[in-house]
Amino acid sequence: MAVHVVAVGSRSSRSLPALVMPLVLLGAAACQSRPAPALPEPTPTVDTAALERFYEQKPGWRACKGHKAFRCADVEVPLDYLDPEARTLRIAVTRLKATGSRLGSLLVNPGGPGASGVEFAYSARGVFTSRVRERYDIVGFDPRGVGESNGIRCLDDDQLDRYHATDSTPDNGAERQRLRTMSRRYAEECQDKSGWLLPHMGTRNVARDLDILRAVLGEQRLNYYGASYGTQLGQVYAGLFPGRIRRMVLDSVVDSKYWAGEVQERQLLALDEEFDRFLGSCVRHGCTLGSDLKEARANVWKLLGRTDERRLRSPDGRKVSDTDIHTASVLLAMEPRLWSTGRQAFAEAARGEGRLFRRLADAARGRSPRGLYDSSIPAWMAVTCLETPEEIRRERATDRQIARMAGRSPIFADVNSTIACSYWKPASIPQEAVEPRDAGPVLLLNNTRDPRTPLAWAEAVTKRFPGAALLTNEAEGHGVYGRGACVNRAVDDYLIAGALPAAAGCSDSGPDY
């Protein structure tokens, strides 16, 4: 079925041009000279005293396999913060030490939900400037249920191949029934294999894990960079621990008011608009789809119609369907760096070949060239389903809703990828807009034409954060930091000196892909 790297997206798409990112922890030596980190203030629902042992633990650092410059550790957290003396989890952490005069630890989250922070940190040299890496230890972690932190598994790899081959835009009753059947099976298998973890996958629990990591690293206050869904995590943290933020960068901002019940549907039209931008680029660079946007769009629809009936060839023997092209198109709409690959994919399709579409779709679904799936999609599903209101869960499996979403966005009817939520067992935990009391001078970043996190969301969140500043970048695509000198200078000055940008905008659009 059509799927996404995440409901909102992640910075992991940065490495997708090489087609298809990492994290690190702090050493004990960095903690020993610091005063004992303060515990969070008591709340009506969490027994702070029972959490003391988690906050006071010392990580056992070790070499990270395959990454010589990094040190890895596991940090213990409660499975259930309402019962912290019961079962626990191990959160995988990795750290790249500062190269110069150290300011502290910068905890990073690339988005998702479901993206690996450990993998993101391993790419720190390609993401964070040398100025930031000189002053901060870059620290990444796999959130609960992701990667090395009890990564959720629902179906085996062969079953996942069949699941993702299900037609996500059903044309008749039989196809709609198969879509529902496969979605139900997915939800039931998740419950059977990971039912003990699913009720505890919510963003609030990850934010509490983040605060334990802050303390274990010896930090009195949190330094944090979060992208895409990572901005939702940052907002929830600010709501729970508003006085514990030193520096916080929220890149490509989710409006917590819409997470997660409406966020996907609100992204559909933006994705359509960005896909048109890809088609426009395709036309400018000489495109097999046609000589103008109207012709290119019409030929995409024709290709989807043909591959619904007659699939494209792929070197590994798996045929490429319209559903695979839908999934690949999500990446093309999100990431201009992939547009050259997209042009080649459509050129191949004109010859009946689907090699690049297969590669793009597999990358979006977390499938390696060896046929092994990571935990990104199951973890994304677990958080999304848990935090989607019950009434929206139930509605998504109805013929009316399936048809309505397909009608609104023939390519990006991504509600169909969350039909499994209709059969989810854990009770829904709907999220509310975060209204932090004292978050400090948070820096928000957003591109003006972002298909996953529209600029209006960043503007709304900025108004709810006292003292926050929004830096807009005149560009398309998802992810701001790393786009160019203007953006990098503003973010680096904030992280290093606490200086919010004097100018309100940049124009680091990057090359014409």
Side-chain angles (χ1 to χ4, degrees), residues 153 156-158 161 318 362 366-373:
R153 298 288 293 182
D156 64 31
D157 295 323
D158 290 338
D161 279 344
R318 291 181 298 147
D362 284 351
R367 187 186 193 274
S368 76
R370 297 172 55 202
L372 306 177
Y373 284 87

Side-chain angles (χ1 to χ4, degrees), residues 11-278:
R11 288 305 296 273
S12 58
S13 62
R14 278 187 172 278
S15 49
L16 281 168
L19 263 165
V20 203
M21 228 169 132
L23 253 228
V24 193
L25 272 198
L26 276 200
C31 303
Q32 290 170 350
S33 62
R34 293 177 173 271
L39 296 177
E41 297 176 4
T43 72
T45 56
V46 175
D47 182 354
T48 304
L51 296 177
E52 188 171 348
R53 70 182 183 92
F54 297 100
Y55 277 84
E56 293 181 348
Q57 64 188 296
K58 303 295 183 184
W61 296 105
R62 62 184 183 274
C64 298
K65 185 177 180 180
H67 299 276
K68 292 183 178 179
F70 291 80
R71 303 293 288 177
C72 289
D74 295 310
V75 174
E76 190 177 13
V77 299
L79 172 66
D80 183 354
Y81 277 88
L82 300 182
D83 189 9
E85 295 182 355
R87 188 168 182 172
T88 62
L89 296 170
R90 293 277 179 178
I91 301 299
V93 185
T94 185
R95 176 195 67 187
L96 178 67
K97 295 188 73 172
T99 60
S101 178
R102 180 181 175 276
L103 285 174
S105 305
L106 179 66
L107 281 121
V108 299
N109 182 282
S116 168
V118 168
E119 293 300 318
F120 183 64
Y122 289 152
S123 299
R125 292 187 182 93
V127 176
F128 297 94
T129 67
S130 59
R131 287 182 66 200
V132 170
R133 289 185 282 107
E134 180 183 9
R135 305 304 302 277
Y136 282 98
D137 297 331
I138 306 299
V139 180
F141 66 101
D142 280 354
R144 53 176 60 206
V146 176
E148 298 177 36
S149 300
N150 294 101
I152 291 175
R153 298 288 293 182
C154 299
L155 305 175
D156 64 31
D157 295 323
D158 290 338
Q159 290 172 324
L160 281 168
D161 279 344
R162 292 193 292 273
Y163 172 76
H164 290 304
T166 307
D167 193 334
S168 65
T169 55
D171 302 313
N172 54 53
E175 290 183 350
R176 286 190 290 273
Q177 184 56 48
R178 176 166 176 76
L179 181 60
R180 282 191 289 266
T181 298
M182 293 298 287
S183 298
R184 181 186 294 108
R185 183 176 301 167
Y186 188 98
E188 290 172 349
E189 290 291 330
C190 286
Q191 181 65 32
D192 287 347
K193 293 183 174 65
S194 302
W196 62 276
L197 178 55
L198 297 183
H200 307 289
M201 283 290 293
T203 305
R204 288 175 67 89
N205 280 338
V206 179
R208 293 192 179 281
D209 296 345
L210 180 59
D211 197 56
I212 289 178
L213 294 177
R214 169 200 62 77
V216 169
L217 294 169
E219 300 294 338
Q220 292 290 328
R221 292 187 176 186
L222 176 72
N223 302 301
Y224 177 77
Y225 168 88
S228 198
Y229 167 78
T231 70
Q232 168 71 4
L233 175 58
Q235 291 173 65
V236 172
Y237 183 93
L240 290 173
F241 309 106
R244 302 198 181 278
I245 297 170
R246 182 169 177 266
R247 305 276 191 268
M248 178 175 282
V249 179
L250 303 181
D251 183 342
S252 305
V253 184
V254 176
D255 188 345
S256 56
K257 177 180 178 182
Y258 301 120
W259 179 266
E262 300 177 61
V263 67
Q264 295 156 305
E265 296 184 27
R266 287 176 177 267
Q267 291 169 343
L268 292 180
L269 295 180
L271 280 169
D272 277 327
E273 291 173 3
E274 285 301 306
F275 190 70
D276 276 353
R277 294 183 190 280
F278 158 70

